[in-house]
Amino acid sequence: MKKISEMESIRECSSNYILAVNDTINVIHGKWKAAIISSLLFGKKRYGELQKEIPKITPRMLSKELRDLEANGMVVRTVHDTIPVTVEYELTQSGYAFQHVLDVMLEWGLEHRKRIIGSTK
Amino acid sequence: MKKISEMESIRECSSNYILAVNDTINVIHGKWKAAIISSLLFGKKRYGELQKEIPKITPRMLSKELRDLEANGMVVRTVHDTIPVTVEYELTQSGYAFQHVLDVMLEWGLEHRKRIIGSTK
DNA sequence: CGGCATCCTTATAGATACTG
DNA sequence: CAGTATCTATAAGGATGCCG
């Protein structure tokens, strides 16, 4: 388990720890990116499919967020020159690996909610 | 392992999955919260200590973020009526449990950075 | 010591209409 | 189909000064 010792040594220098964690946070900052990534975890999708599957997202936000995710190496965009053109978005290896982060977030969120509810009743 | 099946059943209804993940994201949104939580993982701290340990945070942002974290059940604020007053901030159980989330974020961030560097050289 | 009040700038996001 | 363009509203964040 090399990763653990690597993490520990980084935590000793806590400013680097924060920088690395913020890298991850910045990749999914904003209101829509987690939803986009989650949708793409089920497989590659076209722009219009994403728009249908993500309630209330505007085309402006969808294309902006997709550009961000592409720039950060989370998704790849493929244009097929059919008529009319079709565009497919697919997660990169990092994008698929991000599922583990989302799962841990989900698990913590559920536990947290249980504790909050338990403490207020 | 009850948690896994619980997670799977939630992922089947993907909008709930997103809502729960966004709960977690909202708890640490912004520029400073991860740094504050990380600092408090080493033990309870006073306001002034946090300000010293978190480079460049202004008092306005520190107190705002601490209030947010307190409202979200992440930290508890304790006022000791010494003269002058001293105030201590400590993580709740959820706050300490959040270390696991941060560690997974760190691990993913390091792997992602390796892949990005590897793909550009 | 541990903040708050005020003012200001920038970032983020929504609505709507339009296009190659 | 897969987006842009434009405009507007709100939120986030910084600078500075003051207070119990």
Side-chain angles (χ1 to χ4, degrees), chain A residues 3 11 17-18 20 23-24 35 38 72 74 93-94 98 101-103 105-109 112-113 115, chain B residues 3 11 17-18 20 23-24 35 38 72 74 93-94 98 101-103 105-109 112-113 115:
Chain A
K3 261 170 263 171
R11 195 172 312 120
Y17 178 86
I18 292 302
D23 275 359
T24 305
S38 298
N72 282 319
M74 293 291 285
Q93 190 187 349
S94 279
F98 202 77
V101 181
L102 292 175
D103 281 347
M105 283 183 167
L106 170 64
E107 189 183 346
W108 180 89
H112 180 56
R113 186 176 282 259
R115 274 188 293 263
Chain B
K3 261 171 260 171
R11 194 171 313 119
Y17 178 86
I18 292 300
D23 275 359
T24 305
S38 299
N72 281 320
M74 293 291 284
Q93 191 187 350
S94 279
F98 202 77
V101 181
L102 293 175
D103 282 347
M105 284 183 167
L106 170 64
E107 189 183 345
W108 180 89
H112 179 55
R113 186 176 283 258
R115 274 188 292 263

Side-chain angles (χ1 to χ4, degrees), chain B:
Chain B
M1 294 291 258
K2 189 167 176 299
K3 261 171 260 171
I4 299 299
S5 63
E6 191 178 354
M7 279 160 46
E8 297 292 351
S9 68
I10 281 184
R11 194 171 313 119
E12 285 167 17
C13 180
S14 86
S15 71
N16 280 344
Y17 178 86
I18 292 300
L19 287 177
V21 169
N22 273 341
D23 275 359
T24 305
I25 292 176
N26 288 336
V27 166
I28 51 159
H29 73 185
K31 196 174 169 180
W32 301 107
K33 293 201 183 72
I36 295 171
I37 294 167
S38 299
S39 181
L40 289 175
L41 281 172
F42 292 95
K44 56 173 69 167
K45 297 269 170 67
R46 289 168 57 184
Y47 182 90
E49 295 180 285
L50 287 169
Q51 204 175 354
K52 262 174 267 172
E53 288 184 17
I54 301 170
K56 309 220 174 197
I57 195 169
T58 61
R60 188 178 100 86
M61 288 312 294
L62 181 54
S63 70
K64 179 189 170 294
E65 300 293 62
L66 283 169
R67 264 182 278 128
D68 283 1
L69 289 170
E70 195 188 0
N72 281 320
M74 293 291 284
V75 307
V76 285
R77 178 179 184 269
T78 312
V79 182
H80 304 277
D81 58 348
T82 51
I83 298 175
V85 295
T86 57
V87 182
E88 280 187 329
Y89 293 91
E90 185 174 19
L91 293 176
T92 61
Q93 191 187 350
S94 279
Y96 280 112
F98 202 77
Q99 174 158 11
H100 184 219
V101 181
L102 293 175
D103 282 347
V104 170
M105 284 183 167
L106 170 64
E107 189 183 345
W108 180 89
L110 294 173
E111 292 295 321
H112 179 55
R113 186 176 283 258
K114 266 192 257 173
R115 274 188 292 263
I116 297 290
I117 292 170
S119 70
T120 55
K121 74 178 176 193

Side-chain angles (χ1 to χ4, degrees), chain A residues 77-95:
Chain A
R77 176 179 185 270
T78 312
V79 181
H80 303 279
D81 58 348
T82 50
I83 298 174
V85 295
T86 57
V87 182
E88 280 188 327
Y89 293 91
E90 186 175 20
L91 293 176
T92 61
Q93 190 187 349
S94 279

Side-chain angles (χ1 to χ4, degrees), chain A residues 29-87:
Chain A
H29 73 186
K31 195 173 166 179
W32 301 107
K33 294 201 183 71
I36 294 171
I37 294 167
S38 298
S39 181
L40 289 174
L41 280 172
F42 292 95
K44 57 172 69 166
K45 297 269 170 70
R46 290 167 57 182
Y47 181 90
E49 294 180 287
L50 287 170
Q51 204 175 354
K52 261 173 269 171
E53 288 186 15
I54 301 171
K56 309 218 174 198
I57 195 169
T58 61
R60 188 179 102 86
M61 289 311 294
L62 181 55
S63 70
K64 180 191 169 292
E65 300 292 62
L66 284 169
R67 271 194 308 264
D68 284 0
L69 289 170
E70 194 186 1
N72 282 319
M74 293 291 285
V75 307
V76 285
R77 176 179 185 270
T78 312
V79 181
H80 303 279
D81 58 348
T82 50
I83 298 174
V85 295
T86 57
V87 182

Side-chain angles (χ1 to χ4, degrees), chain A residues 10-29:
Chain A
I10 282 184
R11 195 172 312 120
E12 285 167 19
C13 180
S14 85
S15 70
N16 280 343
Y17 178 86
I18 292 302
L19 288 177
V21 169
N22 272 340
D23 275 359
T24 305
I25 292 176
N26 288 336
V27 165
I28 51 159
H29 73 186

